[in-house]
């Protein structure tokens, strides 16, 4: 058993519990940071393939969306004032540590921890009222932006065919909320257009009922009804 990864999962899930309780954001950040550090340590202890235990190969490969739906489906669509922010941390099943020798599962775990750390910084920034674009690079809001982008890049590069629709929607939606807060309308619209394109794809495929999507639609309604650009003369 790779004990550091089990400890990383435990730290992550403790951080999620603190997020759900509200306002314990600095402590949650500490837990998620510890989880990432333990995750890195666990990478150095991986054994060669021929030494893998039989139980590692028997663990089902859990997707990020399955983790999301398993922990927060009932309240996923709650809105925060005039916009919807995906504000739920993602709990990681403890048995995912048994599949840690699978590279894709390692990426799955890292994406969830990084997203949770981004969300904690995002919520702390909101609680503290950071809204200045000038200090965003050093503020919690700036850290949240970079971490969301990292989670998105990891998923795009290594897990794109896993179809973690909710995860991608959550990351891009929350980035859009940050850019809107920073009054960067162009970047915010780009994010929400990406969200809308995924939603329209789900509608076309008849899969809209499979996911709780009301909050994401709420943030993109203005794009559906915004006037088209005037035709060139």
């Amino acid at each position: 058993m790779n004990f550091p990864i089990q400890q990383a999962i435990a730290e992550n899930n403790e951080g999620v519990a603190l997020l759900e309780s509200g306002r314990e954001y600095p402590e949650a950040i500490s837990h998620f940071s510890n989880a990432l550090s333990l995750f890195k340590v666990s990478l150095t202890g991986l054994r060669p393939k021929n030494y893998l235990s039989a139980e590692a190969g028997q663990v089902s490969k859990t997707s990020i969306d399955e983790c999301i739906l398993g922990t927060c489906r009932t309240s996923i669509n709650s809105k925060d004032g005039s916009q919807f922010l995906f504000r739920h941390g993602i709990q990681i099943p403890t048995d995912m540590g048994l599949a840690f020798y699978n590279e894709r599962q390692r990426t799955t775990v890292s994406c969830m921890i990084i997203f949770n750390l981004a969300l904690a910084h995002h919520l702390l920034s909101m609680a503290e009222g950071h809204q200045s674009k000038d200090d965003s690079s050093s503020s919690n809001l700036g850290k949240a932006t970079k971490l969301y982008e990292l989670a998105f890049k990891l998923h795009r590069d290594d897990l794109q065919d896993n179809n973690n629709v909710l995860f991608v929607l959550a990351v891009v939606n929350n980035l859009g909320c940050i850019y809107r807060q920073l009054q960067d309308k162009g970047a915010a619209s780009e994010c929400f257009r990406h969200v809308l394109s995924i939603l329209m794809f789900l509608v076309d495929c008849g899969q809209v009922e499979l996911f709780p999507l009301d909050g994401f639609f709420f943030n993109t309604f203005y794009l559906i009804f915004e006037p088209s650009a005037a035709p060139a003369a």
Side-chain angles (χ1 to χ4, degrees):
M1 174 66 65
N2 189 316
F3 290 108
I5 187 56
Q6 293 297 95
Q7 294 169 2
I9 291 173
E11 286 279 353
N12 175 83
N13 292 348
E14 181 64 26
V16 171
L18 289 169
L19 284 187
E20 294 298 325
S21 69
R23 298 288 178 178
E24 301 294 334
Y25 306 133
E27 191 174 350
I29 288 171
S30 177
H31 281 285
F32 295 135
S33 297
N34 289 341
L36 271 183
S37 296
L38 287 163
F39 177 85
K40 292 176 183 177
V41 170
S42 68
L43 294 177
T44 65
L46 290 178
R47 293 171 290 173
K49 290 184 178 180
N50 55 318
Y51 288 106
L52 300 188
S53 63
E55 66 176 348
Q58 297 171 1
V59 178
S60 60
K61 305 303 184 290
T62 307
S63 72
I64 301 177
D65 277 7
E66 287 172 326
C67 294
I68 293 175
L69 293 172
T71 56
C72 59
R73 181 167 194 135
T74 57
S75 57
I76 200 171
N77 284 320
S78 58
K79 292 180 282 293
D80 182 17
S82 61
Q83 68 178 358
F84 164 72
L85 178 71
F86 187 95
R87 55 193 309 132
H88 298 282
I90 308 172
Q91 286 198 356
I92 303 173
T94 55
D95 65 356
M96 286 191 75
L98 299 176
F100 196 67
Y101 303 102
N102 180 285
E103 184 176 357
R104 294 174 70 82
Q105 285 297 86
R106 293 199 297 273
T107 303
T108 297
V109 170
S110 65
C111 282
M112 289 190 280
I113 297 175
I114 292 169
F115 173 85
N116 288 338
L117 183 56
L119 178 61
H121 279 292
H122 193 171
L123 293 174
L124 177 59
S125 175
M126 292 174 63
E128 293 179 342
H130 288 309
Q131 295 184 355
S132 171
K133 188 170 183 178
D134 294 335
D135 68 358
S136 63
S137 62
S138 59
S139 70
N140 286 297
L141 201 61
K143 292 175 184 177
T145 303
K146 292 176 181 178
L147 288 164
Y148 282 138
E149 290 173 346
L150 176 58
F152 181 83
K153 182 179 186 301
L154 280 173
H155 182 274
R156 181 195 62 199
D157 293 347
D158 297 334
L159 298 173
Q160 191 171 28
D161 59 341
N162 276 24
N163 297 320
N164 291 302
V165 173
L166 277 178
F167 179 74
V168 174
L169 286 172
V171 172
V172 180
N173 176 82
N174 286 11
L175 275 171
C177 291
I178 288 178
Y179 289 129
R180 179 181 282 170
Q181 181 177 344
L182 296 174
Q183 299 182 356
D184 188 339
K185 295 181 180 179
S189 290
E190 183 178 351
C191 288
F192 291 129
R193 283 194 178 92
H194 187 67
V195 170
L196 183 60
S197 69
I198 296 174
L199 295 174
M200 292 299 97
F201 174 78
L202 293 174
V203 169
D204 289 343
C205 295
Q207 297 182 357
V208 132
E209 300 300 325
L210 299 179
F211 306 100
L213 301 173
D214 291 356
F216 301 111
F217 274 112
F218 180 83
N219 279 359
T220 58
F221 277 152
Y222 81 99
L223 293 171
I224 298 174
F225 297 108
E226 72 178 2
S228 303

